[in-house]
Structure formats: C-alpha cells, structure tokens
Amino acid sequence: MSDCLFCKIIDGEIPSTKVYEDEFVFAFRDINPQMPTHILVVPKEHIASVAELDSDNSVYAAKCLEAVAKIAKQEGLENGYRVVSNVGEDAGQTVHHLHFHILGGAKMADKMS
Ligand code: AMP
Ligand code: ZN
C-alpha cells in the first residue's frame, strides 16, 4: 500500500534499523522502545492486522512467528520475552500493517493491560 509506513520501511523508502529479513518477513527496531529490546516483525505483504488473517494469507503470520523465535535467539532473550500484536482502536493499534512486537531484556509486570 502506497501510504503505509511499514510498506515504506520494507521498501527502504523510510530508513529503519533492520535486524532480520527473509522472503516473507522484515524486522526492525521500534523507534520508541518500551523495553531494552523492542523489535517489530512485519510481513512483506500488506495485511492490516490479525483481524485480516485467513487461510489465504496466514502463511505470513506463521513466517512472522518463526522469525520471532529466530530473532529472540539472535538477541539473546533466553530469559524470556513477550510477543504482542495490537488490533484496532481498543488495543491502541497505530500502524495498520500487521506487526508483532518483541519485548524483552528485563522483567515485565505480571499484568498485561
Ligand atoms: P502499534 O501501536 O501496535 O500499532 O505499534 C506501532 C509501533 O510502531 C509503535 O511502537 C511505534 O513506536 C513504532 N513506529 C512508528 N514509526 C516507526 C518507525 N519509523 N520506525 C520504527 N518504529 C516505528
Ligand atoms: Zn503496509
């Protein structure tokens, strides 16, 4: 999508700090980190959110999660991490291109909301 921030990052039109890339997936550091390690894993196909996944495009979600596992090892998150995907207004989704946050590098609060 031409006006999508993450499509532009994938295309290199907007710079990012890349941590991983393959045929299906692009991953880069969040510009406003909420944890010592905060990485965004996005599919190379414009899918608005988890709510838009179906049997035709779910391979992108699977590939994103495979990438999460690889990146977490690469980043040394052996003590654990959190994977978050915000969907829609109530969850505070601000970029409408599917993305999985990897949050780690310190102990997190027990509450998730
Ligand atoms: P969400 O609120 O789940 O839609 O997450 C969007 C995330 O994108 C936020 O954590 C932002 O800090 C992050 N973000 C916005 N613009 C950029 C950018 N240019 N480079 C890296 N991360 C960004
Ligand atoms: Zn997009």
Side-chain angles (χ1 to χ4, degrees):
M1 261 178 74
S2 56
D3 63 346
C4 169
L5 175 65
F6 287 174
C7 284
K8 287 181 180 164
I9 285 178
I10 293 163
D11 290 345
E13 274 179 59
I14 292 176
S16 68
T17 307
K18 180 170 87 171
V19 297
Y20 177 83
E21 182 174 14
D22 66 28
E23 186 188 345
F24 294 91
V25 173
F26 193 85
F28 52 99
R29 295 199 189 276
D30 197 291
I31 206 167
N32 182 26
Q34 305 296 309
M35 287 290 288
T37 301
H38 188 170
I39 291 164
L40 300 173
V41 180
V42 311
K44 286 187 171 175
E45 172 90 357
H46 183 87
I47 299 166
S49 76
V50 166
E52 305 302 317
L53 289 169
D54 58 28
S55 55
D56 290 333
N57 62 16
S58 61
V59 64
Y60 283 95
K63 293 291 183 183
C64 281
L65 292 172
E66 282 180 39
V68 166
K70 278 185 202 161
I71 294 162
K73 288 188 186 87
Q74 190 178 293
E75 293 286 318
L77 298 176
E78 60 278 337
N79 280 343
Y81 54 93
R82 190 166 281 162
V83 182
V84 174
S85 193
N86 294 318
V87 181
E89 200 180 330
D90 278 2
Q93 184 180 5
T94 57
V95 180
H96 295 275
H97 180 127
L98 176 64
H99 52 284
F100 295 92
H101 297 256
I102 302 176
L103 297 154
K107 179 84 178 137
M108 278 165 268
D110 292 340
K111 275 192 75 172
M112 280 197 285
S113 61

